[in-house]
Structure formats: structure tokens, C-alpha cells
Amino acid sequence: MVGLIHKILFNMLESTAEPEVALEIRRRAEVPADKDFHINEVYDDEEWRRLFAATIDVLNITQEQAEEVYAEHFIKDGQQRWPVWFTMAKTAREFLTRQPKIHNGFATSQQDPVLRSAIDDKFHVEERDHELVVHYQSPNKLCGLYKSLAKEVLNLYQEDAQVDEACCMKQGAPECEIHVRWS
Ligand code: HEM
């Protein structure tokens, strides 16, 4: 997982909780207190999963709640860090269609082909009339985060669309299939 994701998690904790909370999360996730995460470097997926699980535990919230709070911070951070992605897209559909390309941009900076394809292959978007069908496959099983982020993007563009999941890796499906449907 690219360090950007960790960085946003720690920024979120810094702005919402006492410093001891982040330290406790690191302790439970077995991540050294002084370990720094750099936005363009790739870190172990397993370590990220431990950090996210420890966050849910320590904050005593559900995974869904954690994904919602994280998505809110993620979009705010993204708007400041990469405003061009937001100005380029005139609609939520345009933004969500481009999302896999944005992710693959992070992959191209990776020299290691295995790490590169681990980022590259997570998302595929199928375009239909009034609908996007997102195929998502990842050991991190963050389809809930996808749905929260998609809703944040829809809010940002003041659009109304239904976000549903037709099948999910957590229920044993080979991939998650998320439908974003505009009425
Ligand atoms: C400026 C906009 C965005 C940037 C720069 C960005 C960047 C990233 C990066 C670098 C990762 C880590 C990738 C990896 O290590 O595999 C990531 C993960 C993720 N992003 Fe985005 N993202 C953006 C917008 C979005 C949006 C709008 C969505 C959904 C609608 C989304 C959904 C996700 C999900 C679900 C993951 C976790 C993937 C996994 O590890 O399974 N992102 N994003």
C-alpha cells in the first residue's frame, strides 16, 4: 500500500484525537512509534491492514464508520494536494471514471513490476448508460472505503446517485462489483 494512505490516516488521527491514540494504534499494529511513511513509497499491505484494524479497535467504531471518517479526510486532503484532478473532472462520473488512472499513476513510479501490478490491477471501471460498474479486487478488501469515497465525490459535485455492491469479496466472491447509478 502506497504511504499516502498511511499518511492520511495519521493526519486524520492527529486532527481528531490525542497523540496517545495514534501511539496506541501503532503499538497494537506492531508499527514502531517513530516509523515514517512517505507518500510515494510502497509498504507492506499486511502492515496497513493491521493499522486499520487497530484504528477501528482503539477508536471503538465499526469498519464502516472508520471508512466514512477516513473517506472524508481523504477527499479533503486530495483536494488540497492534487486540486488539478478535481478541476479536470467536471462531473462525479468523469472523476470516478478516471479514478483507476489516478491510482495507476502511483504505480508507474514503482520500479518493481510485482509492486507495480499490485497497485495497477485493483480497479477496472465499466461505463454504461447512467451507470458505472466498478470491478475491485484487492487483498485489502476496502470496498467499503470505495463506496464511502464515491459518496464523497458525489457530494462534492452535488450529484445524486445510488451506490450499491452487487457482489463482495468478503462474502466469498472473486471480486467486488460496485454499481454507481444516476437516476
Ligand atoms: C485525487 C484522488 C485520489 C488519489 C490521489 C488516490 C490515491 C490512492 C493511492 C495512492 C492509493 C494506494 C494504492 C495502493 O497502494 O494500492 C489509493 C487506494 C485506494 N483508493 Fe484512491 N485515490 C484517489 C481517489 C479515490 C477515489 C475517488 C476512490 C473511490 C471512489 C478511491 C478508492 C480507493 C480505494 C478503495 C483504495 C484502497 C485500494 C486497496 O488497497 O485495496 N480513491 N488511492
Side-chain angles (χ1 to χ4, degrees):
M1 185 72 98
V2 174
L4 167 72
I5 301 298
H6 310 68
K7 198 114 195 147
I8 294 174
L9 179 71
F10 288 116
N11 289 347
M12 174 188 112
L13 292 169
E14 219 172 78
S15 66
T16 56
E18 296 299 316
E20 296 75 42
V21 171
L23 282 175
E24 176 59 13
I25 290 169
R26 281 176 181 263
R27 193 190 62 75
R28 290 197 197 182
E30 296 171 28
V31 174
D34 58 351
K35 179 167 179 177
D36 224 355
F37 291 92
H38 302 282
I39 61 167
N40 280 319
E41 260 175 53
V42 178
Y43 299 88
D44 183 25
D45 268 349
E46 187 70 49
E47 178 186 61
W48 159 258
R49 290 197 286 271
R50 289 202 307 274
L51 272 172
F52 200 53
T55 301
I56 291 164
D57 251 25
V58 173
L59 298 183
N60 196 19
I61 55 178
T62 63
Q63 171 147 358
E64 203 181 349
Q65 287 167 329
E67 285 162 345
E68 276 169 17
V69 183
Y70 183 86
E72 219 178 283
H73 281 263
F74 189 94
I75 291 295
K76 281 200 189 111
D77 181 283
Q79 281 178 279
Q80 285 170 4
R81 219 183 273 272
W82 289 287
V84 73
W85 288 119
F86 294 86
T87 47
M88 256 168 91
K90 299 297 173 227
T91 61
R93 182 180 174 123
E94 238 186 87
F95 195 99
L96 294 174
T97 306
R98 196 171 285 129
Q99 176 259 334
K101 271 203 201 113
I102 300 176
H103 290 76
N104 296 355
F106 281 84
T108 49
S109 62
Q110 283 309 311
Q111 300 303 319
D112 181 335
V114 176
L115 289 179
R116 198 161 57 230
S117 70
I119 302 173
D120 248 358
D121 297 337
K122 286 179 181 172
F123 301 96
H124 293 282
V125 175
E126 208 187 300
E127 292 203 62
R128 295 188 188 163
D129 286 350
H130 310 294
E131 185 177 39
L132 294 179
V133 180
V134 182
H135 301 271
Y136 166 67
Q137 200 174 33
S138 159
N140 298 324
K141 298 192 173 105
L142 287 169
C143 49
L145 177 63
Y146 184 94
K147 288 185 279 183
S148 294
L149 282 166
K151 286 176 193 162
E152 287 292 326
V153 171
L154 288 162
N155 281 342
L156 195 68
Y157 286 89
Q158 298 179 318
E159 288 180 31
D160 209 10
Q162 192 66 31
V163 181
D164 293 307
E165 196 165 0
C167 62
C168 180
M169 282 180 289
K170 289 183 197 161
Q171 263 90 58
E175 63 167 25
C176 298
E177 190 184 292
I178 300 152
H179 293 239
V180 184
R181 185 164 178 80
W182 285 262
S183 46

